[in-house]
Amino acid sequence: MTALKGTKVKTLVGGYEFSSQQNSVEVQIGTTENEITAFGSTGQEFDPGLVSMRIMQKGYLSGATAAYFEADMASKLATSGVTVAAVFDTDTTASTVYFIQNALGAKLAINAPVAGLVTVDGEWLNDTATGYRAKRVFDGTISGTGGQTSIDLGSAGSAGGVFVLHVTAIDGTATNATVDIESSSNNSTFASEGTATFSAIGAQVVTMSGTVNRYLRVNATSLGGATSFTVIGYAYVDGVTVS
Amino acid sequence: MSATKAAGNTTCTYNSNAITNYCNQVDLQGVTAELEATHFGSTGEQYDPGLSAWTVGLGGDFDNTLDGYLGPDAITSTKRTAVIGLVNGGSTITYTWTSNAFITNYTINSQASGKQTWSAQLRLSGIPTRAVA
């Protein structure tokens, strides 16, 4: 097995990619334990309880505006609603993504040691729904309409899912730009599973329902007048990316 | 008395998936509840054994295939079969929990100046089946 460089990750909070400001990310999925030991037990017995997901991001104080992690985290502390994601093994097509759809800003720690750098640590927690495991569908700049290269999930899902499109940069002005998430059973004929519509940077969440076929791709159907936009899109498919 | 190197002599199977080559750490722990039975006539603290509780800590370098085995179950908290194997000489010792292992803490970590790693804590319900082959 090959060890993956720690730099091959991306961290996303809404419309911001903080990879250039951060040097550590950790995803923790925790499950509570319910003891079910009974008089007839030969050893302590347990059943799994409820699941939670945390995403911890650490980095440097790099700026003061909303495009920087300290400002963004400070504004979202004790609130929820932003989509936060960690993308691992970014050299691999369809790499693994863990995301929290309505993340709660749980913790902000700013450290300033006299002999070192000012560092910013943030922690996100799921609010009502647990976090999700997804596969990256597209990561790059789109400067024209049309379908992008597809990924293969290996199997279709039958219970829908969620597609998230983080729009992190727009060149020019976009008014109601649209990007479809499409699926196909044969990697040839694609049909839309939903549309992300945007006019500014941010995270667009698209609910997919019913059957989602094994091949997924993004298809920019309108640039909304922009020259280009930079996006990272990933998809959680129920029963496929999470069993 | 000879000692056994861990490398090459430790195996781990989760839900029928061999994850040995994704692991560089296996910590299996069985802890017995200590039932204190000290009484006024005791000359020292006295204990009786209660029931044992088992966990296993696993870890290694992150890999998408490994994540495919553990990640979904960590989110859905599904009980699976786990087998820890130890090879000593010509014998293989196995500890097996059949459909009684679930992930309680799955962590993926990446440091910019390091590598991507994973770790998981499995709660093992009940006592294992220990076998020597």
Side-chain angles (χ1 to χ4, degrees):
Chain A
M1 299 302 138
T2 306
L4 300 173
K5 284 187 190 175
T7 52
K8 301 297 182 180
V9 298
K10 291 190 177 182
T11 55
L12 300 159
V13 178
Y16 299 110
E17 190 205 320
F18 289 129
S19 307
S20 64
Q21 305 171 30
Q22 297 181 334
N23 60 2
S24 171
V25 64
E26 184 167 287
V27 174
Q28 278 187 7
I29 304 169
T31 302
T32 58
E33 304 171 6
N34 295 321
E35 185 168 2
I36 56 170
T37 308
F39 290 130
S41 299
T42 53
Q44 288 187 28
E45 297 180 28
F46 301 86
D47 269 347
L50 301 177
V51 178
S52 65
M53 182 183 290
R54 294 178 187 270
I55 297 178
M56 281 75 78
Q57 301 171 325
K58 298 183 179 182
Y60 311 101
L61 181 66
S62 305
T65 66
Y68 295 93
F69 185 55
E70 176 272 332
D72 195 61
M73 192 77 215
S75 71
K76 294 180 172 67
L77 202 63
T79 67
S80 60
V82 69
T83 300
V84 178
V87 184
F88 295 95
D89 189 14
T90 52
D91 280 353
T92 297
T93 303
S95 61
T96 298
V97 180
Y98 282 91
F99 73 99
I100 301 173
Q101 187 173 333
N102 286 308
L104 163 70
K107 182 179 174 183
L108 168 64
I110 302 171
N111 300 293
V114 65
L117 301 174
V118 180
T119 59
V120 182
D121 296 358
E123 183 172 318
W124 305 93
L125 175 63
N126 63 279
D127 62 351
T128 53
T130 188
Y132 298 93
R133 178 178 179 271
K135 288 294 184 178
R136 187 177 53 161
V137 180
F138 180 81
D139 183 349
T141 299
I142 296 175
S143 55
T145 57
Q148 301 295 323
T149 302
S150 63
I151 67 164
D152 183 5
L153 295 180
S155 61
S158 61
V162 173
F163 171 69
V164 180
L165 187 74
H166 291 263
V167 182
T168 60
I170 299 174
D171 185 2
T173 302
T175 303
N176 295 326
T178 51
V179 173
D180 274 13
I181 178 66
E182 299 180 335
S183 79
S184 168
S185 60
N186 58 13
N187 203 24
S188 176
T189 304
F190 285 82
S192 177
E193 300 290 347
T195 303
T197 305
F198 57 91
S199 301
I201 64 168
Q204 307 298 320
V205 178
V206 178
T207 300
M208 301 185 288
S209 59
T211 298
V212 179
N213 288 302
R214 63 182 281 184
Y215 298 98
L216 295 180
R217 72 177 188 183
V218 298
N219 181 2
T221 51
S222 169
L223 297 185
T227 302
S228 66
F229 38 76
T230 303
V231 299
I232 298 176
Y234 48 83
Y236 148 70
V237 178
D238 197 356
V240 178
T241 63
V242 173
S243 54
Chain B
M1 183 89 52
S2 62
T4 305
K5 285 194 291 191
N9 294 307
T10 309
T11 62
C12 186
T13 306
Y14 174 81
N15 190 27
S16 300
N17 297 305
I19 63 171
T20 301
N21 290 351
Y22 302 104
C23 294
N24 57 21
Q25 170 206 341
V26 174
D27 297 308
L28 179 63
Q29 193 170 81
V31 178
T32 301
E34 300 166 1
L35 310 179
E36 187 169 0
T38 310
H39 55 78
F40 289 126
S42 300
T43 55
E45 289 186 11
Q46 295 183 213
Y47 297 88
D48 282 327
L51 299 178
S52 61
W54 291 80
T55 58
V56 62
L58 306 170
D61 294 337
F62 180 76
D63 180 272
N64 273 308
T65 301
L66 178 281
D67 183 76
Y69 298 149
L70 299 186
D73 282 359
I75 291 176
T76 58
S77 57
T78 307
K79 276 185 164 180
R80 302 291 192 188
T81 295
V83 184
I84 305 298
L86 305 165
V87 180
N88 177 260
S91 301
T92 299
I93 308 162
T94 56
Y95 287 80
T96 303
W97 283 264
T98 302
S99 301
N100 267 324
F102 61 93
I103 301 169
T104 57
N105 192 343
Y106 179 53
T107 299
I108 306 166
N109 181 280
S110 187
Q111 307 289 323
S113 54
K115 60 182 178 179
Q116 298 177 39
T117 60
W118 70 276
S119 65
Q121 185 84 2
L122 269 60
R123 167 60 74 182
L124 308 162
S125 182
I127 59 174
T129 300
R130 181 182 180 278
V132 180

